[in-house]
């Protein structure tokens, strides 16, 4: 019997030693605490402002709105969306009735203003005030020198015409 107990004690001692080895080795989890990971995060992206020309009393007026980083032609898209409640209360509105988008294709100084993707590509009858809104809003975008507009005045055989803000002094 003594031999049996001795053997059982040795087995239990070996198991205890193995368990102690496993516990002391850990399972990959380190003790936790406050770890330094560097300084506080800093947002470096600055949203600049954009200028959108809206209408009041038949005259276009520049309105400043917040921009979005990475969206340099947002001002063009803003012409086709409803005005803000503050702008509406001030009597401002847009004569641009279709959603627009701007893009650069070959020449970085020429902004292409087209109907937003997904909108049927039909000819548009722009009012003089709407043309002024588009031309002057596009001209307010840094780097833009010329504006090529779908259904613009004096269109080429493909339907594209150029507009220039200077040509709309009568509505400014």
């Amino acid at each position: 019997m003594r031999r049996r107990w001795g053997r059982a004690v040795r087995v239990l001692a070996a198991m205890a030693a193995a368990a102690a080895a496993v516990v002391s080795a850990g399972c990959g989890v380190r003790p936790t605490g406050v770890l330094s990971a560097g300084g506080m995060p800093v947002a470096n992206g600055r949203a600049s402002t954009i200028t959108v020309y809206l209408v009041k009393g038949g005259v276009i007026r520049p309105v400043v709105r917040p921009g979005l980083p990475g969206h340099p032609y947002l001002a063009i898209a803003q012409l086709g969306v409803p005005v803000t409640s503050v702008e509406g209360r001030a009597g401002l509105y847009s004569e641009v009735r279709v959603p627009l988008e701007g893009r650069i294709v070959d020449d970085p100084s020429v902004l292409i203003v087209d109907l937003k993707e997904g909108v049927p590509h039909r000819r548009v009858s722009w009012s003089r005030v709407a043309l002024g809104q588009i031309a002057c809003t596009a001209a307010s975008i840094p780097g833009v020198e010329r504006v090529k507009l779908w259904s613009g005045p004096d269109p080429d055989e493909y339907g594209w015409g150029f507009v220039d803000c200077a040509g709309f002094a009568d509505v400014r």
Side-chain angles (χ1 to χ4, degrees):
M1 179 91 136
R2 194 169 217 207
R3 209 173 178 156
R4 203 190 255 172
W5 280 103
R7 190 172 174 195
V9 170
R10 280 192 305 267
V11 169
L12 286 174
M15 289 175 68
V22 169
V23 169
S24 66
C27 58
V29 178
R30 297 183 198 160
T32 60
V34 177
L35 300 174
S36 176
M40 294 294 292
V42 178
N44 288 330
R46 283 190 11 217
S48 59
T49 57
I50 59 173
T51 302
V52 177
Y53 278 78
L54 297 177
V55 184
K56 182 174 182 177
V59 176
I60 59 173
R61 300 169 189 255
V63 175
V64 177
R65 290 183 176 173
L68 287 173
H71 297 274
Y73 314 118
L74 177 64
I76 293 298
Q78 290 287 301
L79 289 173
V81 300
V83 297
T84 67
S85 59
V86 172
E87 293 164 348
R89 284 193 301 271
L92 295 165
Y93 64 95
S94 178
E95 285 211 7
V96 176
R97 306 282 189 235
V98 294
L100 299 174
E101 62 186 4
R103 66 181 181 277
I104 299 292
V105 175
D106 294 321
D107 183 347
S109 68
V110 178
L111 181 67
I112 307 294
V113 178
D114 197 358
L115 303 179
K116 187 173 181 177
E117 188 176 331
V119 174
H121 216 256
R122 298 186 183 118
R123 298 285 175 138
V124 179
S125 295
W126 302 109
S127 71
R128 180 143 180 83
V129 174
L131 286 171
Q133 280 186 267
I134 295 166
C136 294
T137 298
S140 72
I141 298 171
V144 172
E145 295 173 14
R146 297 183 70 201
V147 182
K148 191 173 185 180
L149 174 64
W150 171 249
S151 292
D154 302 320
D156 61 15
E157 65 271 20
Y158 303 106
W160 296 94
F162 286 92
V163 290
D164 183 357
C165 185
F168 295 93
D170 60 316
V171 295
R172 282 191 291 156

